[in-house]
Amino acid sequence: QVRLVESGGGLVQAGGSLRLTCAASGITFSSYAMGWFRQAPGKEPEFVATISRSGGSTYYVDSMEGRFTISRDNAKNTVYLQMNSLKPEDTAVYYCAAGPYSGSRVGEMYDYWGQGTQVTVSS
């Protein structure tokens, strides 16, 4: 059974930081590219970042590059999203996803999804 479990969300003031963690099980983690997506209330899901199987390549949505950093530890079957300089508009449920294609920014290209973790940024 494949499981992706996100953690690390919470309430933070604008300008603060959070580190999201996604722990994977039931898959050969190093064979999957990993992505982070988010969905704010009343909005469509949005791509945030993705990282290749080895971790050697990363891609971000333009508005988040420089503030967010995706990384992975294949020995721990875990992917991270470090979020700095958070803004109220970053408030959303953040999801991690696993898929076979590195660099994909499209949710449909990912096979497995976590249940999400809420991030709330207060002004």
Side-chain angles (χ1 to χ4, degrees):
Q1 180 184 2
V2 178
R3 292 191 69 201
L4 301 179
V5 180
E6 302 95 335
S7 60
L11 174 64
V12 63
Q13 288 189 330
S17 299
L18 284 174
R19 187 196 198 200
L20 305 184
T21 298
C22 172
S25 60
I27 58 173
T28 303
F29 184 72
S30 59
S31 296
Y32 285 84
M34 299 298 296
W36 285 97
F37 292 77
R38 70 184 186 184
Q39 186 168 21
K43 294 188 176 181
E44 293 293 315
E46 177 183 25
F47 166 77
V48 175
T50 185
I51 188 167
S52 63
R53 299 176 190 85
S54 68
S57 297
T58 56
Y59 306 89
Y60 300 89
V61 67
D62 290 345
S63 62
M64 299 170 204
E65 190 161 11
R67 296 193 300 126
F68 291 8
T69 303
I70 188 171
S71 61
R72 67 189 295 162
D73 186 337
N74 285 348
K76 295 182 178 179
N77 289 359
T78 301
V79 63
Y80 307 96
L81 185 68
Q82 177 68 43
M83 305 186 296
N84 299 327
S85 302
L86 282 162
K87 305 174 182 179
E89 51 265 42
D90 293 319
T91 295
V93 178
Y94 284 71
Y95 299 89
C96 71
Y101 305 112
S102 292
S104 178
R105 304 176 183 224
V106 178
E108 288 79 1
M109 301 303 291
Y110 290 82
D111 295 333
Y112 304 108
W113 292 81
Q115 82 291 346
T117 186
Q118 176 70 48
V119 171
T120 303
V121 184
S122 63
S123 58

